[in-house]
């Protein structure tokens, strides 16, 4: 299939187009209908008539943006008309929603008269919270935006002008830092003098570039003092006293080129004559003014950015408009002013200097990403952009007097994280709890770069005091290669630690009647997991996190031998937290006990309930089987029913029932209609599986096919906190598990668990303990 056919099929298949209106309230019965429409809808109408600001409370206005065009300058296609521009506007709406959870009406105005567009937008003010102008030709776009900003009290933003300015401005700041040039000294040449070029030049002046150091070129050449042809008041701002008449003249000795024109407008010969370490932003799409390979052929010292995703440093407007509007809407800003644009630029520039998560780098097929000539600005799919840009814009609106609402930044970032998905919201709460009382967390795989980066983040978040196990020189070398700081991170080498002898005797005392000699204990301490387990068991660390490069048994075996199961429970189990769009489900046992007894199932459920409460969620437990409350007479089903009885005896306050099938656990209609006697009245959020096969298979299917985000495995039932990572875990997974481990350690000051209904033997390495499948 050709690219053309692929693009057409993408837009046509299934439901035509790229956006839809999705209801946010239920409409399933007559009562809902009477509330959504007549007569109930009259009540919010009357309230809004009384106080128009209540439209932000009772309607979608506060999260709704109109994307408005008249189709006079669509992409590189020119004046193709309003209806032909609709696919672009729908695409813009899709980006608003996907990147910042903003709802959009795309509106194509059938008039090339700028006054018609102005009047139309003014009449929209009661409907939307903001207006994004798009693909309107110059100079009409300047006149339209200026008029609307003066006459309207909601944000109006022409992305073609300001988006490129804001994002390339961040790239410029970082590029000049790398080449060690002062912004007030550089000579900047623009290829192109349209809306984007003029707005970008003005933004650069506000960043510190001297206006007299900007040479702007259009089709007729350099815009110099006294030039008369093809001029307008907006171009006239950049008339320069210069002898240069062509772009080739202008580029001699220039420090920066910003291309916002057409493919092929610049040649290698022109680039060769620029100043040392030139900065080349060739931003024409889909083909830039000059390709990066052509630049490098003549100037290996150049720093290059384009508008394309197949080259480094993509200047993509999606890094700006969704997050700028998000911040503006959330404080009910009356405009998007220069202070807000500047805040977005500086936030983007600063974010590029932060460590890049593996999950982001892997999206672009990269192993490691760090600030430098090939990474000037963040990637569009970096979820941190929302968390940096929107708060910066919101706070700038507040500080500049453009906001009607105030936001407290920490609470606002938490709200933004919840927009990125329930998983980030849940984990943010755990991280906040961890930060309130950080604990010492030992990482046996201390030489692993992912562990080092996660440890640095844990320090930055203030949630842990990391201890890295490994060779000090190797750890310091790895940290240096990735520009990671080891400040406030302890390093302990098991091979030379002064604790070795004491730990060997401690481990020998625990294992001497299970075949371990003192010499064997000494040898095993070269293994970081044995050494780290001894640190936790002896109180030299509060928790252990390991497993990024190991199979499950290699991590859990040392912990079970040295630390063991909690004496009150006698059972270790594993659970996952699965985070969906609208709910969270805990699954156990997914990693440890292959075929649990009824007593063990009751203990697994009890331990899972405690962990669930630790996450601030009240557990509703479903004990799963292939049978519903005795519908099938079989020992497997009876085992689960017996476990329910034991768990109720142990803790009558728990909401638990079973045995039940999985659909029964989630369908309240089935529960109320067929099993009104069930203690479970609403959807279960803790699922206890009858055996390891069921639990392991189910959580992986939900993770990979059900759209859930899996957090875990969370090891429960250990005498002290030990948590095992998935092999190959990402940095963010390690950070999440560190937070879980710290919260677990915080809870160890609480009274010990009560004894189970029937004591089961402590798990050791034996027939019931194996790796995750």
């Amino acid at each position: 299939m050709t690219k053309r056919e692929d693009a057409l099929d993408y837009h046509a298949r299934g439901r035509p187009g790229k956006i839809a209106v999705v209801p946010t309230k239920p409409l399933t019965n007559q009562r809902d209908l009477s509330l959504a429409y007549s007569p109930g809808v009259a009540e919010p109408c009357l309230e809004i008539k009384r106080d128009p600001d209540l439209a932000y409370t009772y309607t979608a206005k506060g999260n709704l943006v109109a994307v408005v065009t008249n189709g006079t300058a669509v992409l590189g296609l020119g004046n193709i008309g309003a209806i032909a521009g609709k696919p672009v506007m729908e695409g813009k709406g899709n980006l608003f929603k996907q990147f910042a959870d903003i709802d959009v009406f795309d509106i194509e105005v059938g008039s090339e008269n700028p006054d018609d567009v102005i009047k139309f937008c003014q009449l929209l003010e009661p409907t939307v919270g903001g207006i994004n102008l798009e693909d309107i030709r110059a100079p009409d776009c300047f006149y339209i935006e200026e008029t609307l900003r003066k006459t309207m009290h909601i944000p109006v933003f022409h992305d073609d002008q300001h988006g490129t300015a804001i994002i390339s401005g961040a790239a410029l700041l970082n590029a000049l830092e790398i080449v060690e040039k002062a912004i007030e000294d550089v000579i900047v040449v623009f290829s192109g003098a349209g809306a984007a070029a003029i707005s970008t030049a003005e933004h650069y002046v506000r960043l510190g570039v001297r206006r007299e150091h900007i040479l702007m070129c259009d089709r007729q050449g350099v815009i110099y003092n006294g030039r008369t042809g093809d001029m307008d008041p907006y171009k006239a701002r950049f008339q320069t006293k210069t002898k240069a008449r062509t772009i080739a003249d202008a580029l001699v000795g220039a420090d920066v080129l910003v291309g916002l024109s057409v493919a092929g407008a610049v040649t290698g010969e022109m680039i060769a004559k620029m100043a040392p370490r030139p900065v080349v932003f060739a931003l024409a799409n889909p083909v830039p003014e000059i390709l990066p390979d052509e630049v490098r052929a003549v100037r290996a010292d150049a720093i290059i950015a384009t508008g394309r995703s197949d080259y480094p440093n993509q200047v993509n407007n999606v890094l700006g408009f969704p997050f700028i509007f998000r911040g503006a809407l959330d404080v009910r800003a009356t405009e998007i002013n220069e202070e807000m644009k500047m805040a977005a630029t500086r936030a983007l520039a600063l974010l590029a200097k932060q460590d890049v998560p593996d999950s982001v780098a892997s999206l672009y097929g990269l192993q490691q990403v760090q600030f430098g000539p090939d990474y000037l600005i963040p990637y569009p799919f970096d979820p941190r952009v929302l968390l940096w840009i929107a708060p910066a814009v919101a706070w700038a609106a507040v500080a500049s007097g453009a906001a009607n609402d105030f936001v407290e930044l920490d609470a606002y970032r938490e709200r933004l994280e919840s927009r990125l998905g329930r998983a980030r919201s849940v984990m943010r709460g755990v991280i906040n709890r961890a930060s309130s009382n950080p604990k010492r967390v030992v990482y046996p795989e201390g030489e692993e770069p992912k562990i080092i980066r996660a440890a640095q983040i844990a320090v930055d978040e203030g949630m842990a005091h990391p201890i890295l196990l490994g060779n000090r020189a190797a750890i310091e070398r790895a940290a240096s290669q990735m520009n990671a700081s080891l400040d406030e991170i302890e390093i302990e080498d098991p091979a030379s630690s002064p604790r070795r002898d004491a730990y060997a005797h401690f481990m020998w005392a625990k294992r001497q009647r299970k075949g371990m000699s003192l010499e064997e204990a000494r040898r095993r301490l070269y293994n970081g997991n044995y050494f780290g387990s001894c640190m936790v068991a002896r109180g030299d660390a509060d928790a252990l996190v390991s497993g990024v490069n190991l199979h499950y048994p290699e991590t859990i075996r040392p912990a079970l031998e040295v630390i063991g199961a909690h004496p009150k429970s006698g059972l270790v189990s594993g659970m996952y937290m699965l985070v969906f769009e609208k709910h969270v489900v805990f699954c156990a046992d997914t990693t440890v006990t292959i075929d649990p007894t009824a007593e063990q199932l009751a203990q697994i459920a009890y331990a899972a309930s405690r962990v669930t409460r630790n996450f601030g969620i009240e557990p509703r437990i479903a004990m799963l089987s292939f049978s519903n409350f005795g519908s099938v007479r079989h020992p497997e089903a009876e085992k689960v029913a017996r476990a329910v009885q034991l768990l109720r005896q142990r803790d009558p306050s728990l909401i638990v029932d079973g045995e039940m099938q999985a659909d029964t656990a989630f369908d309240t209609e089935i529960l109320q209609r067929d099993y009104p006697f069930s203690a479970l009245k609403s959807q279960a959020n803790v699922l206890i599986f009858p055996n390891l096969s069921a639990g392991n298979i189910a959580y992986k299917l939900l993770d990979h096919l059900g759209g859930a985000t899996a957090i875990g495995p969370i090891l429960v039932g250990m005498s002290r906190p030990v948590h095992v990572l998935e092999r190959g875990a990402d940095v963010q997974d390690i950070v999440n598990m560190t937070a879980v481990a710290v919260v677990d350690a915080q809870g160890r000051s609480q009274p010990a668990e009560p004894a189970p209904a029937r004591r089961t033997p402590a798990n050791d390495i034996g027939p019931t303990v194996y790796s995750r499948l």
Side-chain angles (χ1 to χ4, degrees), residues 442-445 469 492-495 497 499-500 502-508 510-511 514-517 519-541 544-547 550 552-564 722 764-765:
V442 61
Y443 302 89
E445 302 160 289
L469 299 187
E492 182 90 12
D493 188 346
S497 170
R499 296 184 171 118
R500 278 186 59 81
Y503 286 176
H505 280 84
F506 169 77
M507 194 159 63
W508 178 51
K510 289 184 71 74
R511 305 292 299 178
K514 296 184 180 181
M516 183 181 287
S517 67
E519 188 57 35
E520 175 64 17
R522 287 194 173 102
R523 282 197 302 271
R524 290 195 184 186
L525 284 172
Y526 287 104
N527 181 318
N529 281 293
Y530 277 103
F531 193 93
S533 295
C534 286
M535 290 189 77
V536 174
R538 291 290 301 270
D540 296 323
L544 180 146
V545 173
S546 183
L550 300 170
Y552 199 81
E554 297 174 77
T555 306
I556 196 174
R557 182 181 291 110
L560 287 169
E561 291 181 0
V562 176
I563 297 173
V722 174
D764 206 330
I765 299 301

Side-chain angles (χ1 to χ4, degrees), residues 53 61 232 266 275 575 596 621:
D53 278 352
K61 176 181 171 74
D232 59 51
V266 177
M575 65 185 294
I621 306 170

